[in-house]
Amino acid sequence: GAVVSQHPSRVICKSGTSVKIECRSLDFQATTMFWYRQFPKQSLMLMATSNEGSKATYEQGVEKDKFLINHASLTLSTLTVTSAHPEDSSFYICSAREATSSQYFGPGTRLTVL
Amino acid sequence: AQSVTQPDIHITVSEGASLELRCNYSYGATPYLFWYVQSPGQGLQLLLKYFSGDTLVQGIKGFEAEFKRSQSSFNLRKPSVHWSDAAEYFCAVGAGSNYQLIWGAGTKLIIKP
């Protein structure tokens, strides 16, 4: 149980385009979902916290107009990187929190912006 | 300020030897503590967690961790490591109303044959 999927696992796009990443909790309802960014050989950096039906709460320094988060249901959250640039290239990871407070993580999405 | 410290950036252990990964935290209230493992090319997997009760917590893959409030520690242990245990290990504290995770920097475990 407690499986979280992410799609796509890998995406390459041109500079200036937008990319949408989906995060789904497959076998539980997640009131809260989190989006992280992980740089090579570093720990995870929390970007935003998303509660179903509410606007996401962004961490300091994260541009909410650039990283659009939608949490329309208890099993789906999406992250859209708008007008992507090479510096946005990174590994993006989502997690979903179940009722017991444990977070379960998706496998991540490798974004490469050319 | 809330923080998690993993003092060892990497640790090398011989296969079959015992393992202890250190984690210290700074948190005002009773912490929710977690250990996650990240293998190359794979997502983060929850190894174990401590919320309350017995301070010795058993997890998956033969791991255990002990919560010591007096030392603000939550060290991860395994009596005998296997080559497949080579990975990055992260300690985290759950904080706030949404139980956001405050992460340690991670410890990379290297297994010697």
Side-chain angles (χ1 to χ4, degrees):
Chain A
V3 178
V4 177
S5 69
Q6 258 183 266
H7 179 78
S9 59
R10 191 179 293 268
V11 58
I12 301 172
C13 69
K14 292 182 179 179
S15 185
T17 60
S18 294
V19 174
K20 180 184 282 189
I21 303 170
E22 288 189 353
C23 177
R24 293 181 186 270
S25 57
L26 298 184
D27 51 2
F28 67 99
Q29 293 187 327
T31 306
T32 307
M33 287 187 170
F34 303 85
W35 286 95
Y36 295 86
R37 190 169 173 177
Q38 187 177 30
F39 295 97
K41 299 185 179 181
Q42 293 190 28
S43 185
L44 281 72
M45 183 192 80
L46 179 65
M47 298 176 66
T49 302
S50 169
N51 285 300
E52 185 263 339
S54 303
K55 288 184 179 179
T57 302
Y58 290 81
E59 294 300 301
Q60 192 172 9
V62 178
E63 299 176 59
K64 59 182 179 182
D65 293 331
K66 180 167 188 61
F67 298 99
L68 300 179
I69 291 171
N70 183 274
H71 192 166
S73 77
L74 286 171
T75 59
L76 173 65
S77 178
T78 60
L79 168 68
T80 301
V81 183
T82 62
S83 187
H85 290 282
E87 58 265 29
D88 298 324
S89 298
S90 192
F91 193 55
Y92 293 88
I93 304 172
C94 76
S95 72
R97 181 175 70 83
E98 61 160 6
T100 64
S101 307
S102 298
Q103 283 187 37
Y104 294 92
F105 287 80
T109 297
R110 173 74 59 194
L111 171 63
T112 303
V113 184
L114 302 176
Chain B
Q2 302 159 357
S3 65
V4 177
T5 302
Q6 291 179 249
D8 303 304
I9 296 173
H10 50 77
I11 280 184
T12 301
V13 177
S14 297
E15 189 170 13
S18 64
L19 170 71
E20 182 170 35
L21 300 182
R22 294 183 291 165
C23 173
N24 292 94
Y25 67 89
S26 173
Y27 188 66
T30 300
Y32 287 6
L33 295 160
F34 304 84
W35 274 99
Y36 286 87
V37 60
Q38 187 177 34
S39 299
Q42 297 188 27
L44 282 153
Q45 183 179 23
L46 179 65
L47 282 176
L48 47 76
K49 60 191 177 189
Y50 170 79
F51 289 170
S52 65
D54 194 346
T55 56
L56 184 62
V57 180
Q58 301 298 320
I60 62 171
K61 303 184 178 186
F63 286 93
E64 67 177 26
E66 186 171 13
F67 170 57
K68 293 186 177 180
R69 185 187 299 275
S70 61
Q71 298 178 20
S72 297
S73 69
F74 189 56
N75 294 348
L76 182 71
R77 300 194 294 249
K78 187 170 184 178
S80 176
V81 297
H82 187 261
W83 64 267
S84 60
D85 293 323
E88 188 93 23
Y89 291 79
F90 293 96
C91 179
V93 168
S97 58
N98 285 315
Y99 302 98
Q100 291 179 1
L101 292 176
I102 301 167
W103 295 89
T107 298
K108 183 175 182 178
L109 175 62
I110 301 165
I111 306 295
K112 286 193 302 185

